[in-house]
């Protein structure tokens, strides 16, 4: 005679096996999901600048849309820090890197471990000199520099003297904007560039540098700053003269820069699209991770912003 508990025991064993197999399958699915997730690193030269904050935010938006984990590291404008951060990224097994170099020349050493690992690399806003990266997403800084020269010359009546505040030495952005501005100014023989000095893309430093240069050149009637932060520092140094006796042109199109145009202290800015730069750099890196072909240089348009069209941007 069969024990009446036998079918119940068999059913319990069957149910336990089913639950065990189901749990195993779920765990395996979780492992597959984890294996499919991608982690990429965005190395930013500094987050102590509204432009790069916007760039980061655009990159984060694109990463979220693509289902990519984005780790953002801030080099705080120090090449050695950026090198160490990227060395950590290389050893941690990041799937790809987006670099906004502190120094375009020094960045070659920073990306060397990633190049050795065949890690996809996209440069954004600034080039990496002396190393092979898969793509550069940037504004046309030379063309933007020429646009700045044209706008400043027009505001000055094509006559007078100009001071130039330069960005971080060694960056492609500073070099290209400066070269474009100098080339553009060749069309205006009535304007002379009387002084140029670096203020490292920093507002506080620009305040000090501009104060000294204005004291040495009291009759100056125009000023070009290679980014809006330096232009805003120069405006502080100029006080009531900003936008009146001295026309000021910046570069980037940040929110503070646009507000200064509305206030009449900044004559114009050459507006980049930092959020778009960040967004496109992530999209390009994802294409590389998907083993798709990408362009070596991907330009993002720049626009001259004045009082006439600032409302469209602000």
């Amino acid at each position: 005679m069969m024990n009446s508990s036998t079918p119940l025991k068999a059913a319990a064993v069957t149910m336990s096996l089913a639950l065990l197999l189901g749990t195993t399958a779920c765990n395996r699915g979780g492992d597959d999901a984890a294996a499919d997730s991608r982690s990429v690193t965005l190395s930013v030269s500094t987050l102590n600048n509204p432009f790069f904050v916007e760039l980061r935010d655009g990159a984060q938006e694109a990463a979220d849309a693509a289902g990519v984990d984005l780790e953002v590291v801030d080099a705080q404008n120090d090449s050695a820090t950026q090198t160490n951060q990227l060395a950590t990224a290389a050893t941690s097994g990041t799937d790809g890197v987006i670099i906004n170099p502190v120094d375009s020349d020094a960045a070659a050493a920073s990306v060397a471990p990633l190049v050795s690992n065949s890690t996809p690399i996209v440069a954004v806003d600034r080039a990496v000199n002396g190393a092979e990266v898969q793509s550069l997403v940037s504004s046309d800084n030379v063309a933007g520099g020429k646009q700045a020269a044209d706008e400043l010359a027009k505001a000055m009546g094509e006559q007078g003297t100009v001071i130039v505040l330069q960005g971080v030495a060694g960056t492609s952005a500073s070099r290209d904007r400066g070269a474009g501005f100098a080339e553009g100014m060749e069309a205006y023989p009535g304007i002379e560039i009387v002084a140029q000095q670096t203020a490292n893309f920093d507002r506080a430093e620009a305040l000090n540098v501009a104060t000294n240069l204005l004291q040495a050149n009291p009759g100056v009637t125009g000023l070009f700053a290679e980014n809006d932060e330096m232009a805003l520092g120069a405006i502080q140094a100029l006080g009531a003269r900003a936008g009146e006796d001295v026309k000021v042109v910046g570069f980037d199109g940040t929110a503070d820069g646009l507000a200064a145009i509305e206030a009449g202290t900044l004559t114009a800015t050459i507006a980049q699209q930092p959020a778009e730069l960040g967004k496109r750099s992530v999209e390009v890196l994802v294409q590389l991770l998907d083993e798709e072909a990408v362009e070596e240089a991907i330009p993002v348009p720049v626009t001259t912003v004045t009082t006439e069209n600032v409302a469209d941007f602000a």
Side-chain angles (χ1 to χ4, degrees):
M1 181 176 177
M2 182 182 292
N3 190 324
S4 61
S5 65
T6 300
L8 294 176
K9 289 180 179 178
V13 170
T14 301
M15 184 176 294
S16 297
L17 286 171
L19 287 171
L20 179 61
L21 291 171
T23 301
T24 303
C26 288
N27 289 340
R28 186 169 58 247
D31 291 342
D32 289 344
D36 289 340
S37 66
R38 290 165 166 174
S39 177
V40 300
T41 302
L42 169 61
S43 175
V44 185
S45 58
T46 177
L47 288 175
N48 189 29
N49 183 319
F51 178 86
F52 294 113
V53 172
E54 291 184 45
L55 187 151
R56 177 204 63 191
D57 291 347
Q60 187 64 64
E61 181 181 345
D64 291 343
V68 170
D69 293 328
L70 183 69
E71 180 183 3
V72 181
V73 290
D74 177 6
Q76 299 178 347
N77 272 331
D78 183 74
S79 292
T81 298
Q82 189 161 56
T83 298
N84 291 335
Q85 289 171 339
L86 290 180
T88 300
T91 56
S92 68
T94 186
D95 293 306
V97 164
I98 301 165
I99 178 173
N100 164 241
V102 172
D103 182 312
S104 294
D105 293 328
S110 299
V111 301
L114 299 160
V115 173
S116 298
N117 290 349
S118 299
T119 302
I121 306 168
V122 174
V124 62
D125 186 53
R126 302 170 181 174
V128 176
N129 298 332
E132 288 190 16
V133 303
Q134 281 65 48
S135 186
L136 168 63
V137 179
S138 69
S139 302
D140 189 337
N141 285 306
V142 174
K146 291 179 183 177
Q147 290 171 232
D150 289 337
E151 201 59 42
L152 185 58
K154 182 171 73 173
M156 295 172 62
E158 300 186 12
Q159 296 289 329
T161 54
V162 170
I163 285 172
V164 176
L165 297 183
Q166 301 166 314
V168 176
T171 61
S172 60
S174 178
R175 182 186 63 242
D176 292 349
R177 292 172 194 179
F181 182 79
E183 184 178 340
M185 275 297 170
E186 291 176 1
Y188 306 100
I191 297 177
E192 180 186 3
I193 298 174
V194 293
Q196 38 190 343
Q197 185 175 329
T198 182
N200 290 310
F201 289 136
D202 183 76
R203 188 185 304 197
E205 188 168 347
L207 169 59
N208 294 329
V209 172
T211 297
N212 293 333
L213 292 180
L214 289 166
Q215 288 174 351
N217 302 275
V220 73
T221 52
L223 187 147
F224 170 56
E226 291 177 354
N227 79 339
D228 284 347
E229 283 295 285
M230 293 190 297
L232 293 166
I235 286 169
Q236 286 180 267
L238 285 163
R241 298 174 65 198
E244 298 293 335
D245 302 334
V246 182
K247 307 301 182 183
V248 182
V249 173
F251 205 117
D252 278 346
T254 61
D256 286 351
L258 299 176
I261 291 176
E262 292 179 320
T265 54
L266 185 64
T267 301
T269 184
I270 308 304
Q272 298 191 88
Q273 302 181 67
E276 183 67 17
L277 287 170
K279 177 174 176 287
R280 289 292 294 125
S281 64
V282 170
E283 291 172 347
V284 171
L285 186 56
V286 170
Q287 286 180 278
L288 289 168
L289 294 176
D290 289 338
E291 299 184 353
E292 298 177 16
V294 302
E295 297 292 329
E296 291 184 4
I298 298 173
V300 174
V302 295
T303 305
T304 301
V305 182
T306 65
T307 54
E308 295 178 359
N309 63 347
V310 67
D312 297 334
F313 292 83

